[in-house]
Amino acid sequence: VVKMLSGQLTPDHGLIRIDGQAVKLSSRQAALRLGIALVDQELSVVPTLSVLDNLLLGDIAAPLVNRRRAAVARCRQVIREVGLERLSPDQPLSSLSIGERQLVEIARALSQNARLVILDEPTATLGDVESERVFAAIRRVAARGCAVIYVSHRLPEVLELCDTVTVLRDGRRIATTPAAL
């Protein structure tokens, strides 16, 4: 389901609707154009690049000729939104922890004006402290009005973060229920 919503796979049947309109998501770029961003459990950041350069990776709206001042201002804004205000846009990702790199991934989704952020097992490789930082960022993303799909096998995380829980097995919906029973 995540791969279909992010444009990586085409559904065999059924429709994906955004704002009531059926859409065809033929690529990740097509999904991004419609405001859908995926933060995968396998990090897609480049450690040798700066925080700013990583935010610009894959940004379909970024101008070909980089307007550095505007890009730095936007970078500072989105890294602040995910709790990384102490970072410099010029800081290399190699100097960050895995949890901070995950937060840069989330910031990249926000910098691309995502209306829906899909987080696929974002804490799979993180410890408790780093996971809490990711949870805080997710809450801030949701509070600003962005829809969030949180995929996890860790039930306590799901119940803590989510309003509604949908259980899928082999690509089929088993149940949908409020998280707080």
Side-chain angles (χ1 to χ4, degrees), residues 1-179:
V1 173
V2 168
K3 290 189 184 283
M4 286 183 258
L5 289 174
S6 63
Q8 296 174 40
L9 290 177
T10 304
D12 294 333
H13 64 280
L15 295 173
I16 296 173
R17 293 183 184 273
I18 298 178
D19 296 330
Q21 300 281 41
V23 296
K24 199 169 217 157
L25 302 173
S26 57
S27 66
R28 275 186 94 156
Q29 289 76 21
L32 273 174
R33 278 192 289 280
L34 292 170
I36 301 170
L38 171 64
V39 177
D40 214 340
Q41 72 183 56
E42 289 91 24
L43 297 177
S44 63
V45 291
V46 181
T48 56
L49 295 178
S50 69
V51 171
L52 174 62
D53 291 335
N54 272 280
L55 290 184
L56 294 174
L57 279 177
D59 186 350
I60 57 175
L64 290 176
V65 177
N66 190 351
R67 294 189 180 103
R68 181 149 178 86
R69 188 173 297 174
V72 167
R74 179 74 176 136
C75 178
R76 288 187 198 284
Q77 177 189 350
V78 295
I79 63 176
R80 188 173 39 252
E81 286 183 45
V82 298
L84 294 175
E85 53 277 337
R86 66 171 185 75
L87 296 184
S88 162
D90 295 321
Q91 190 167 347
L93 247 64
S94 59
S95 68
L96 305 182
S97 70
I98 296 297
E100 290 169 325
R101 293 178 193 191
Q102 186 70 274
L103 291 170
V104 169
E105 291 258 15
I106 295 169
R108 180 168 59 195
L110 294 178
S111 73
Q112 296 170 342
N113 297 316
R115 300 180 322 156
L116 168 63
V117 176
I118 304 167
L119 297 143
D120 187 8
E121 299 277 354
T123 60
T125 60
L126 304 182
D128 290 342
V129 172
E130 289 181 319
S131 291
E132 281 302 321
R133 292 179 73 191
V134 170
F135 297 160
I138 292 168
R139 287 184 190 100
R140 284 190 293 272
V141 168
R144 78 182 259 219
C146 188
V148 177
I149 295 176
Y150 187 83
V151 179
S152 180
H153 292 93
R154 297 177 180 176
L155 189 57
E157 286 182 5
V158 171
L159 295 175
E160 178 183 338
L161 288 170
C162 300
D163 298 323
T164 304
V165 176
T166 297
V167 178
L168 300 174
R169 186 179 307 133
D170 298 326
R172 298 197 186 281
R173 184 175 62 83
I174 303 302
T176 298
T177 183

